[in-house]
Amino acid sequence: MPFKSLGLSDNLINKLSQNNYKKPYPIQEQAIPHILNNKDIMGIAKTGSGKTAAYILPVIQKLEDSELEKSRNINTLILVPTRELAMQVKEVFDAFNTSSNNIKAMAVYGGVSINPQMKGMYGTNLLIATPGRLIELIENNALSVSSLKTLVIDEADKMLELGFKEEIDKIFTLLPKKRQNMLFSATLSDKIEDINNIILNYPIVIKIEEDSQELEHIEQLAYYVTDEKKGPLLRHLIKTENMTQVLIFVASGYKCDNISFKLSKHGIEARAIHGKKSQGARNAALEDFKAGRIQALVSTDLLARGIDIELLPHIINFDLPRSPKDYIHRIGRTGRANNTGKAISFVSPEDEHHFKIIQKKAGKPVPRIYEENIKELNK
Ligand code: AMP
């Protein structure tokens, strides 16, 4: 089923093709028409299923169709458990929104100064927030959720795991009764059911199963290194393994720019590609990379799916992906069409547990090399 038949506007259809989203993932196919139809949704889907676009696309469309007010009243609230997810959801929004529609979106989270967030809040229509910071902002009268139209709770299970239950309950008491609700969670538990019972009205329940992929032709390798050694290791590998075409995955757009800048400074032709770059810059970077004019392309997951390059010999996970499914997708960029490829992951001490889970899901233990055994890093 094409995106067009889900009821999305021409603006969004254009943006989808610019972002190389060729056809909807199951969660998008199943959720988008109901969301556009004002139904409540409960999506049981993991990161990697395409759940962010499943709610962001109809949310943008609904905002485009609303009379937007310039005030401190938020129209749409997306609650997320972590700063990383807040930034990532904002990146997805930026990738699909057209600046001409005047929707103002902001991502707010703790751990950074609250003042710029308070100042920037006026006129915000779509707010992506972690629960604690949202409450602080409300208590400072920076915004109001009393006339909210749409609520999205993303990664509800993680939210509970991190102990946000009290904050969430408090936020619920501030919301108007009539609104549209969407709740996404990777798992279903009694506690999630409790939230479901409080906020959702006869929701449409969508459950997405994971799929797996053959990884036979891909040689996988993991380097266990500290964060400070990742940069030197990257340059060392590109040089000593004569990598002429390597796709490097990192966690954020900011890091993309930073790493590509540092590689270039060390004489390795590199370019960054992420959601904040203009379409023209992204296309040019991708073309140059495909044609072999640049050696390294540094990317976030946001654009990784669209990158279709035959015979890509090397990919490097400078930062691990958030889900095993993303890992499989990332390393699936190499070793295509029966060609062998090499996928290297950098595993920092705090990522070791996460990498264990990834390996379990990917079905194969990955050989490892430890920092202390890499002579060049210990000079
Ligand atoms: P999510 O589960 O929302 O974190 O999305 C996982 C990844 O899938 C992200 O890298 C998205 O950019 C990508 N993605 C989501 N939907 C599509 C689609 N229909 N076509 C291609 N890539 C997609």
Side-chain angles (χ1 to χ4, degrees):
M1 188 189 275
F3 273 112
K4 224 175 167 39
S5 50
L6 303 180
L8 293 170
S9 68
D10 288 345
N11 266 350
L12 288 170
I13 300 291
N14 281 339
K15 284 281 175 180
L16 281 159
S17 76
Q18 282 172 21
N19 281 283
N20 243 315
Y21 279 37
K22 296 203 171 82
K23 67 187 213 325
Y25 286 178
I27 186 137
Q28 294 156 1
E29 195 170 305
Q30 293 177 51
I32 290 173
H34 292 302
I35 300 174
L36 290 173
N37 219 355
N38 297 321
K39 292 277 190 290
D40 278 7
I41 293 283
M42 158 128 120
I44 305 300
K46 293 196 167 54
T47 297
S49 59
K51 66 182 167 61
T52 320
Y55 65 76
I56 278 288
L57 294 165
V59 155
I60 292 176
Q61 179 148 331
K62 282 162 149 287
L63 283 166
E64 277 184 340
D65 294 343
S66 326
E67 295 258 332
L68 295 178
E69 39 174 309
K70 260 212 170 312
S71 69
R72 293 192 180 272
N73 290 329
I74 302 300
N75 177 301
T76 300
L77 173 65
I78 301 173
L79 276 180
V80 294
T82 59
R83 168 194 174 133
E84 286 69 30
L85 188 58
M87 295 196 296
Q88 186 166 310
V89 171
K90 176 70 166 50
E91 280 192 21
V92 178
F93 169 84
D94 289 338
F96 289 113
N97 192 46
T98 25
S99 47
S100 59
N101 62 18
N102 293 324
I103 301 172
K104 182 171 172 193
M106 243 183 115
V108 294
Y109 33 78
V112 293
S113 161
I114 195 168
N115 288 338
Q117 298 178 350
M118 286 174 59
K119 285 200 188 111
M121 198 55 66
Y122 185 77
T124 296
N125 315 109
L126 168 71
L127 185 66
I128 304 153
T130 51
R133 180 49 60 99
L134 177 71
I135 291 175
E136 268 182 272
L137 285 161
I138 294 174
E139 285 172 354
N140 279 289
N141 296 322
L143 67 103
S144 164
V145 287
S146 62
S147 51
L148 195 82
K149 303 282 184 295
T150 309
L151 171 70
V152 180
I153 302 187
D154 199 352
E155 297 197 356
D157 48 350
K158 182 129 184 217
M159 205 96 85
L160 296 177
E161 244 172 61
L162 294 175
F164 283 131
K165 178 79 171 68
E166 234 172 77
E167 282 90 344
I168 295 174
D169 287 343
K170 178 158 186 194
I171 294 165
F172 288 164
T173 64
L174 304 172
L175 303 177
K177 289 239 147 31
K178 196 169 166 303
R179 52 170 209 265
Q180 184 179 14
N181 302 290
M182 295 165 231
L183 183 142
F184 292 88
S185 180
T187 51
L188 201 52
S189 67
D190 290 348
K191 286 191 181 137
I192 299 284
E193 283 289 359
D194 286 348
I195 300 189
N196 167 16
N197 291 336
I198 302 169
I199 64 160
L200 302 179
N201 299 308
Y202 303 106
I204 309 282
V205 179
I206 299 166
K207 197 165 187 304
I208 301 298
E209 308 293 342
E210 282 180 280
D211 61 48
S212 61
Q213 201 181 309
E214 277 298 329
L215 305 173
E216 267 174 31
H217 301 290
I218 303 166
E219 182 192 343
Q220 300 176 62
L221 191 60
Y223 284 89
Y224 282 61
V225 285
T226 47
D227 278 322
E228 321 74 89
K229 289 285 163 69
K230 282 181 172 184
L233 176 61
L234 179 66
R235 297 192 292 272
H236 168 70
L237 289 174
I238 293 177
K239 287 188 175 155
T240 54
E241 298 208 9
N242 291 325
M243 296 185 184
T244 50
Q245 203 183 29
V246 53
L247 180 59
I248 300 157
F249 289 103
V250 299
S252 69
Y254 168 77
K255 260 180 129 174
C256 272
D257 287 334
N258 190 271
I259 289 166
S260 109
F261 174 76
K262 284 197 180 140
L263 286 176
S264 303
K265 226 174 72 182
H266 283 86
I268 296 162
E269 275 284 337
R271 209 70 63 72
I273 185 166
H274 55 77
K276 287 232 167 68
K277 293 262 179 207
S278 72
Q279 194 57 44
R282 285 188 223 167
N283 292 347
L286 197 53
E287 280 315 306
D288 284 348
F289 184 59
K290 281 184 179 179
R293 288 188 288 270
I294 50 173
Q295 219 175 329
L297 187 65
V298 193
S299 173
T300 57
D301 272 320
L302 184 66
L303 292 153
R305 303 279 165 128
I307 300 174
D308 188 16
I309 305 165
E310 267 177 59
L311 303 184
L312 187 60
H314 291 101
I315 79 113
I316 295 182
N317 291 315
F318 189 93
D319 294 316
L320 287 182
R322 292 189 308 138
S323 74
K325 192 163 177 191
D326 276 339
Y327 177 81
I328 293 166
H329 273 278
R330 282 185 183 184
I331 73 172
R333 305 285 104 203
T334 178
R336 299 187 137 199
N338 287 349
N339 289 290
T340 48
K342 192 164 180 183
I344 296 173
S345 298
F346 293 178
V347 183
S348 62
E350 63 271 27
D351 282 339
E352 286 184 23
H353 178 67
H354 182 47
F355 193 59
K356 259 191 203 141
I357 298 172
I358 288 179
Q359 290 175 80
K360 217 163 149 195
K361 287 271 166 61
K364 196 163 134 180
V366 177
R368 26 175 109 174
I369 296 176
Y370 288 92
E371 181 174 319
E372 45 280 23
N373 298 329
I374 311 166
K375 232 182 25 242
E376 289 75 5
L377 291 187
N378 296 299
K379 277 179 189 161

